[in-house]
Amino acid sequence: MSGRRRLTPENRRAVILAAARTVFADAGYDRTSMRAVAKAAGITTPVLYDHFGSKADLYAALVEAEADALIGTWEREGLEVPEGSVEQLFRRTIGTIFDWVAANEAGWRIIFLDSPSDPAVAQAHRRRQERATAVLAAQFARVPTLHLSVALDRERADGFLAEAAKWTVNAVAAWWWSNRDLTRDQLVELTADLLWRGLGQVTGETPNVH
């Protein structure tokens, strides 16, 4: 007896997410239909709805998967940097983010460029932004001393620096989409120009001006 092997629900979901990743990245959330995703995944639209109840649910799952992949990559990278080497940690984290962005164009657009107004999708973005801030704050917490002009308790100070750094990197990643003549290394240096010279003072390290 021959025929295609039936996919497990988990494998079918993975196929759907892979197809949705390409379709949403090409057309954006608002212009993508569930029918188009189903066609790309090689299934019928009713089967697609068996796995995801709405386009918003599907897109939210995709946002979570892409953001988790990005955050997990630079979270692991940061753990490999020796304690006390703040600039090295900063540059490797920024470099890892832009490495991922350059290698994952679909994820690049989904995370940094597409901004659907649907509440379910906005919530998924918000949850991942909060996770990114928490991971960055944990990295700032490894710095022995912070020299801020305003007295903040350490946890709040780490959160402030993480939030500021995160949104700066988000903005640079979005800007890079329309300025891709610049290389990854140039983006790292530009981001260091923008962030590290100030952070070097805050962390007590002398900024290494290139």
Side-chain angles (χ1 to χ4, degrees):
M1 183 176 178
S2 62
R4 291 185 178 179
R5 183 177 180 182
R6 187 177 182 85
L7 295 177
T8 66
E10 293 77 14
N11 288 340
R12 175 65 70 193
R13 181 183 175 91
V15 169
I16 291 170
L17 286 174
R21 183 176 184 267
T22 299
V23 176
F24 278 121
D26 286 344
Y29 178 81
D30 293 334
R31 292 181 296 170
T32 295
S33 68
M34 291 290 269
R35 180 177 295 180
V37 174
K39 182 178 180 181
I43 59 176
T44 64
T45 305
V47 170
L48 176 56
Y49 277 106
D50 285 341
H51 291 270
F52 297 95
S54 67
K55 183 170 79 167
D57 289 342
L58 172 57
Y59 196 80
L62 192 59
V63 166
E64 291 171 354
E66 293 297 323
D68 284 347
L70 170 57
I71 295 168
T73 297
W74 54 264
E75 183 178 25
R76 290 189 299 273
E77 188 77 16
L79 292 175
E80 297 176 2
V81 178
E83 292 288 343
S85 182
V86 183
E87 183 175 5
Q88 186 183 3
L89 173 60
F90 171 82
R91 287 183 176 277
R92 283 187 61 175
T93 298
I94 297 302
T96 299
I97 291 171
F98 288 128
D99 282 341
W100 186 93
V101 166
N104 295 275
E105 188 165 304
W108 183 358
R109 174 164 180 165
I110 289 165
I111 295 174
F112 296 107
L113 296 170
D114 209 7
S115 55
S117 59
D118 190 292
V121 178
Q123 186 178 27
H125 272 288
R126 198 159 45 245
R127 285 195 299 266
R128 275 2 188 222
Q129 292 290 354
E130 289 170 356
R131 184 188 168 201
T133 297
V135 171
L136 272 177
Q139 293 188 350
F140 277 113
R142 297 171 58 188
V143 179
T145 305
L146 298 178
H147 306 279
L148 294 171
S149 301
V150 176
L152 295 176
D153 66 78
R154 185 54 196 267
E155 183 176 354
R156 193 174 186 188
D158 292 334
F160 162 73
L161 293 173
E163 191 75 3
K166 178 195 71 179
W167 286 111
T168 299
V169 171
N170 285 357
V172 172
W175 180 84
W176 194 21
W177 183 268
S178 301
N179 295 271
R180 280 187 269 185
D181 55 309
L182 296 176
T183 67
R184 171 265 194 200
D185 289 344
Q186 289 174 315
L187 260 292
V188 171
E189 292 305 319
L190 286 171
T191 306
D193 285 343
L194 187 61
L195 281 175
W196 177 247
R197 294 182 187 182
L199 286 173
Q201 297 294 328
V202 168
T203 62
E205 288 194 6
T206 302
N208 182 14
V209 179
H210 295 272

